[in-house]
Amino acid sequence: EALHVRHLNEHTRAYIKVQDGCNQFCSYCIIPYSRGRVRSKPLEELTREARTLAASGYREIVLTGINLS
């Protein structure tokens, strides 16, 4: 699902969720069941969103996800 952030009030950095879900199915974790399998945001969409945030004045963008290694 596409959830785009345009502006965060009173924040100096913006966050972009680049990945969601998990394929590990650890016995104690509900993430794979609640969020589904791993899927990543397409590079073109990520680039477009980062440029929009930069144009809005953000000088730092944090990429977030469940398993970014």
Side-chain angles (χ1 to χ4, degrees):
E1 68 187 278
L3 301 173
H4 301 286
V5 176
R6 299 280 186 252
H7 182 71
L8 300 169
N9 293 331
E10 301 180 22
H11 289 272
T12 57
R13 66 178 64 128
Y15 298 86
I16 299 177
K17 188 174 194 176
V18 297
Q19 183 218 33
D20 200 8
C22 184
N23 294 340
Q24 299 305 314
F25 291 94
C26 300
S27 61
Y28 56 84
C29 186
I30 194 169
I31 297 293
Y33 300 102
S34 61
R35 296 186 185 170
R37 307 285 285 181
V38 167
R39 60 203 173 280
S40 298
K41 186 176 283 192
L43 183 57
E44 299 78 25
E45 186 178 335
L46 171 62
T47 304
R48 185 172 43 252
E49 190 171 350
R51 286 187 175 144
T52 299
L53 290 168
S56 296
Y58 291 102
R59 298 173 80 51
E60 181 177 357
I61 297 172
V62 179
L63 305 179
T64 66
I66 298 296
N67 186 11
L68 294 180
S69 61

